[in-house]
Amino acid sequence: MAGHSIPHFQNDGGFPSIQIGVKEFMCTGASVPYDHPHIFIDMGDEVEKVCSYCSTLYKYNPTMKAEQTDPPGCVFNVKAA
């Protein structure tokens, strides 16, 4: 599978909030097999949004790149079979 065109984020650490550098993304919950349905989230004009499945609060930080998160390590990567 090729990479995602829309960034995917996970919350294996159970963090209450994650800062990200994009406003349109997918939340996966946690790493497979503990993930939830991968849902598209669009912040629109807002600067934060809560995932309706895992309750992670995502906060937009315009100084960050699409592949950065704070805390680090919350980018979801698909592992090849």
Side-chain angles (χ1 to χ4, degrees):
M1 172 187 263
H4 301 295
S5 59
I6 295 175
H8 286 54
F9 300 106
Q10 65 189 23
N11 191 359
D12 287 343
F15 305 110
S17 66
I18 299 172
Q19 289 188 48
I20 57 176
V22 294
K23 287 188 154 199
E24 295 180 349
F25 59 96
M26 300 286 283
C27 180
T28 66
S31 295
V32 175
Y34 306 107
D35 56 338
H36 61 55
H38 300 185
I39 62 166
F40 178 75
I41 298 174
D42 182 353
M43 290 186 192
D45 293 333
E46 303 296 320
V47 294
E48 57 185 40
K49 196 76 138 181
V50 174
C51 174
S52 59
Y53 276 93
C54 65
S55 299
T56 299
L57 174 62
Y58 288 96
K59 296 181 177 184
Y60 175 64
N61 181 337
T63 66
M64 298 177 79
K65 296 180 181 176
E67 67 278 359
Q68 290 180 300
T69 63
D70 184 19
C74 296
V75 175
F76 177 82
N77 294 304
V78 175
K79 294 179 176 62

